[in-house]
Structures are given as C-alpha cells and as structure tokens.
Amino acid sequence: MQASPHCHANVSQPSSEESTSGADIISTVEFNHTGELLATGDKGGRVVIFQREPESKNDPYNQGEYNVYSTFQSHEPEFDYLKSLEIEEKINKIKWLPQQNAAHALLSTNDKTIKLWKITERDKKPEGYNLKDEEGKLKDLCTVTSLQVPVLKPTDLMVEVTPRKIFANGHTYHVNSISVNSDCETYMSADDLRINLWHLAITDRSFNIVDIKPANMEDLTEVITASEFHPHHCNLFVYSSSKGSLRLCDMRASALCDKHFKLFEEPEDPSSRSFFSEIISSVSDVKFSHSGRYMLARDYLTVKVWDLNMETRPVEIYQVHDYLRSKLCSLYENDCIFDKFECAWNGSDSVIMTGAYNNFFRMFDRNTKRDVTLEASRESSKPRAVLKPRRVCVGGKRRKDDISVDSLDFTKKILHTAWHPTENIIAIAATNNLYIFQDKMNSEMH
C-alpha cells in the first residue's frame, strides 16, 4: 500500500509547545460530497474551508492542490447562567449538505448549538444605483433628476459566509455527532443520552427520536457515543454506545426509537475480562459504508466491520495498535484511554483508515488483508515524497527503522481523518496541522 503526499496545508503553526493545547487544535475534518471542498473545525470555534485548485494543463500529473478558500468564526464561547457552566466554542462536528445550487451549505456544532452556514461566491458588483451614491448612502431625492439602469461590473472574487439558521436549545448534554439524512430535508444530532431529529427549515423545535436517560441517573449504565443516518434509506440510522454495541433503528416502526430494530454486539470473552474491558470496548465512531451494506465501528484498540445482515459478530476485525494492551494501566493514568479515534472508508469501501499515536495512522485493505502504518510529519509532507511504512516493535530485537513501543509519543495523536469520496486523497488532522496526502501512482490503494 503506497501513498504519496500531494500537498501539506498548515492550518496554523504554534509558536511554542503550550500553544498547541489551545485554539488551533483541529477538532474535525470533513470533505464535501464532490471532494472539491474540505472543511476543518478547531478548538477556537473557527471553520477553515479549503478548495481544490483546477488541474494544471502544463502538468496533467499534478492534481490540483487544496488552498484556503474561506475562514470564519462559527462559534463563540458562551456561559450558561442557569447552570453556571461555560460552553466551549470548540467545533465538535461539521457536515456538508448536498449541493442544491451554486451555493454550498454546511452544519457546524459545538457542545450545544448547531448552525447552518451558506457559502457563496460573488465576482460581480452592481453599479449605477438611482437612489444611492458610490458609498451606498441614500441620496437626497431632490437631486435625483434622471433614472438609469444599474449594471453588474466584474470585481475581485469574494467568498461570503452567512449564518442561515441557528438550532439551539435542543440538547442538555454535549452534542457528539450530527448526520444529514438522505432526504436532504432533515438531520439528526446526538448527545450522551438523546438523539434529536431536526428539519433544516425549522429551528425552534426538534423531535426526540432516542432517549436512553433513566428515571434515576444512578441507574445509568451507558451513553451514546456516535450516530449516523444510512446513506440510502432515510428511515434507518445507527447509534453506538460506550458499552461497545451498535443499535440500528427504523423510524417507520415508531416515533420514539427506544426499541432498536437490530442490535450488533459481540459476546464478551470472560477469560480476557479486565478492569479496562468496558473502557476499551466503548465505540468512539461509527460509519456506514458508501454501499450501505456495512458499518465500521472504532473502539480503543480495534476497528470492526459489521454486516447489516449479521448481528452476532463482526465480519472483520482489524487490530489498530495491539501493542498497547500491556500499556493500558499507564494510558488510563494519563487519560489517553478515553481518546476518541474516528474511522473512514475509501470511496469503494475496500480500504479502511483510522488514527493512532505518535502521529501514525493505519490503513487496512479489506481484499488483500494487508495493512500499513504511515506517519503524518513535516518530513513526509514534502512535495513528491513517498510515505514510508512504519513499524512498532514490542520485544528487544528490532530493525533499523522500527520504533519501540516505549518511545511512542502519546501527545501526538491522529483522532480526526477524512477520505475523499471518490479519489485516493486523505486528510489527516495532527494536532494543529492538516496534512493532505494523495496516491498518485494508482487509482486504487494497494
């Protein structure tokens, strides 16, 4: 499996180690439906949109690079005076809406408030108003003695981002995921205990479709960790839990989907049970395949592929960093065991990608069963450089380029990744840097 970096875009560059723990840390990455645009959100509440430049006729082998298209402040820090709680501006998720016209639209959310943004381009400016002067101020009507037809004059391209809708007051707990329905009219948002269904045109109310909050909070045994709509069937959605299960729900069955349609859960092996079993089995991300036949679920140590037609066990299990099993105690002490890694499918559902520590990310080829560990770093991001596979060794013997499990940097973690919907272009968020790699050699990862 080989990938060549195509372009390396620094969203921001920290001046010191301390600043990387601040507002510049990327918290979500998302391609739009064509892959021409790529959006990132960060801890400071900003959204940066990158646009792919058109291919160069002089160099047909050099695909268009992604350059900054627009940057805007999506969320500001707030304070809930009733609960005396600060609400962070950090962007938890971004979801693009399918494009309906010349404008683009995306949803962004922090812990509490979801916003719908419209992105438009303007390269013409009207001139020759009858009632306004050049600065846009109203003229004295007494001075207007003749009428003229305003004309559109070319001007420098401007990208305008405007807030169209604000969906507030829908969640008591922190929003962990949003998903746009295939009907292009509704979307859902999930927090720890509830999932709400919204209509994109209605901001003041939503319908609660899942509620797992017990009458007595002392009886709480699990929380919702992620959710997603089926790519083709607008009535189906899945949500994952901190106990490692996936629940497929059908909105045609009842208005409140507390009773799942299918439960995907692996029976626990009693012999391997430990203090950490429940923590590491918590699902941090769930994604339907593009075909809609499979679901991808990431827990702390593995990524699993489930077939929608088989609930008893996953059809494929891939070990992401099995060498960390012996380190769970120290990972618990430094809170890394609670890190939430995301996962992604390639456009043909044949390769899976997910992140790890030490700025490593993993790829698994479902057909050949080959896997590779790659590193997102300044060295690997030079133009035309080839990403070299990395290996982590556990024992005493190791090859020249191997990295000992004891020397891994757990502060450098790849939590957020995205794959272009049709091409072999991947976006990797490494703390406060965005890396974009492309496989130029092949149309299919191998």
Side-chain angles (χ1 to χ4, degrees):
M1 200 183 286
Q2 180 174 302
S4 332
H6 170 50
C7 98
H8 165 216
N10 268 339
V11 172
S12 52
Q13 288 187 319
S15 55
S16 65
E17 259 327 286
E18 287 76 36
S19 64
T20 57
S21 63
D24 293 337
I25 295 177
I26 299 170
S27 51
T28 185
V29 187
E30 191 81 16
F31 280 101
N32 75 338
H33 293 72
T34 62
E36 293 304 300
L37 297 176
L38 171 68
T40 65
D42 66 22
K43 276 195 167 182
R46 287 183 302 270
V47 172
V48 181
I49 301 173
F50 297 87
Q51 184 184 44
R52 195 178 185 189
E53 297 298 320
E55 291 179 33
S56 166
K57 287 179 183 172
N58 303 331
D59 188 1
Y61 297 103
N62 186 19
Q63 299 282 328
E65 293 192 358
Y66 283 85
N67 292 318
V68 174
Y69 179 63
S70 179
T71 304
F72 63 96
Q73 189 71 30
S74 173
H75 287 69
E76 302 279 357
E78 295 172 54
F79 192 79
D80 186 334
Y81 290 98
L82 284 174
K83 295 177 182 168
S84 293
L85 279 177
E86 281 185 44
I87 300 167
E88 284 187 1
E89 65 272 39
K90 175 191 160 208
I91 307 295
N92 291 347
K93 288 288 182 230
I94 289 172
K95 288 290 176 212
W96 290 91
L97 273 61
Q99 194 174 358
Q100 311 280 4
N101 49 39
H104 295 276
L106 61 81
L107 290 166
S108 63
T109 184
N110 65 350
D111 284 342
K112 290 282 186 287
T113 306
I114 305 149
K115 296 183 180 181
L116 173 64
W117 297 91
K118 184 181 178 184
I119 302 111
T120 51
E121 287 186 356
R122 201 171 72 187
D123 59 358
K124 291 184 177 65
K125 192 168 83 173
E127 283 184 7
Y129 284 113
N130 291 295
L131 304 179
K132 291 179 183 174
D133 61 19
E134 296 302 317
E135 293 174 0
K137 292 177 184 172
L138 279 172
K139 292 180 185 173
D140 183 354
L141 295 181
C142 301
T143 63
V144 180
T145 55
S146 62
L147 295 177
Q148 58 182 340
V149 178
V151 290
L152 288 171
K153 292 277 181 74
T155 180
D156 291 339
L157 179 69
M158 283 178 61
V159 179
E160 294 181 337
V161 181
T162 49
R164 297 308 300 264
K165 299 271 192 301
I166 296 176
F167 304 87
N169 306 318
H171 289 276
T172 309
Y173 307 98
H174 292 178
V175 177
N176 55 45
S177 50
I178 47 176
S179 179
V180 181
N181 201 344
S182 58
D183 65 9
C184 299
E185 289 186 353
T186 56
Y187 76 92
M188 68 177 174
S189 56
D191 65 28
D192 293 341
L193 299 179
R194 295 190 178 109
I195 301 176
N196 292 336
L197 180 69
W198 301 82
H199 193 286
L200 283 161
I202 302 167
T203 59
D204 59 352
R205 67 181 181 275
S206 60
F207 296 95
N208 180 225
I209 52 174
V210 172
D211 187 350
I212 65 165
K213 184 180 179 182
N216 183 352
M217 284 294 272
E218 287 178 8
D219 299 331
L220 183 68
T221 57
E222 63 181 337
V223 294
I224 298 165
T225 54
S227 66
E228 190 178 59
F229 268 120
H230 191 279
H232 313 306
H233 302 300
C234 61
N235 54 293
L236 294 179
F237 68 92
V238 66
Y239 69 91
S240 57
S241 87
S242 55
K243 277 197 162 177
S245 61
L246 306 178
R247 290 177 174 87
L248 188 67
C249 300
D250 188 342
M251 292 193 292
R252 294 174 302 185
S254 65
L256 192 63
C257 299
D258 284 0
K259 290 187 173 65
H260 49 265
F261 163 52
K262 286 187 177 182
L263 174 66
F264 300 85
E265 199 170 42
E266 215 178 355
E268 191 182 32
D269 180 4
S271 62
S272 63
R273 172 138 188 92
S274 73
F275 170 76
F276 305 110
S277 295
E278 194 166 306
I279 302 171
I280 62 171
S281 68
S282 175
V283 176
S284 54
D285 194 22
V286 62
K287 295 268 170 63
F288 278 106
S289 61
H290 295 82
S291 67
R293 170 75 188 269
Y294 301 99
M295 294 182 297
L296 189 59
R298 171 72 207 260
D299 58 35
Y300 191 64
L301 294 177
T302 68
V303 63
K304 296 170 182 170
V305 177
W306 292 85
D307 187 323
L308 260 65
N309 299 325
M310 192 168 90
E311 298 170 67
T312 50
R313 65 180 186 275
V315 288
E316 295 156 36
I317 300 177
Y318 300 98
Q319 300 294 335
V320 178
H321 37 210
D322 204 42
Y323 46 78
L324 295 183
R325 279 190 195 276
S326 60
K327 302 268 177 205
L328 292 178
C329 205
S330 56
L331 289 163
Y332 177 78
E333 286 169 3
N334 65 14
D335 277 352
C336 283
I337 202 168
F338 302 107
D339 284 335
K340 292 174 171 56
F341 292 95
E342 294 172 9
C343 51
W345 299 90
N346 72 337
S348 61
D349 299 334
S350 60
V351 184
I352 290 160
M353 172 173 63
T354 192
Y357 293 106
N358 211 65
N359 275 4
F360 289 166
F361 59 98
R362 304 271 281 131
M363 287 187 176
F364 304 95
D365 191 309
R366 298 179 62 209
N367 299 323
T368 63
K369 301 302 175 193
R370 288 169 64 193
D371 66 272
V372 68
T373 301
L374 300 168
E375 182 181 8
S377 67
R378 294 292 172 97
E379 291 70 41
S380 68
S381 64
K382 288 168 184 163
R384 303 192 185 282
V386 175
L387 284 174
K388 293 188 178 72
R390 308 303 304 263
R391 259 172 48 97
V392 177
C393 69
V394 183
K397 280 188 180 179
R398 67 178 196 188
R399 296 181 206 161
K400 183 182 156 203
D401 292 330
D402 284 2
I403 292 153
S404 164
V405 69
D406 296 316
S407 61
L408 292 174
D409 187 343
F410 292 106
T411 63
K412 293 179 177 174
K413 50 192 92 168
I414 306 287
L415 301 176
H416 313 289
T417 59
W419 205 309
H420 188 288
T422 54
E423 298 179 43
N424 276 326
I425 299 171
I426 55 173
I428 307 285
T431 319
N432 61 330
N433 290 318
L434 176 70
Y435 294 91
I436 299 171
F437 298 113
Q438 179 181 6
D439 182 358
K440 288 211 190 91
M441 314 302 291
N442 310 292
S443 59
E444 197 58 52
M445 279 294 191
H446 70 95

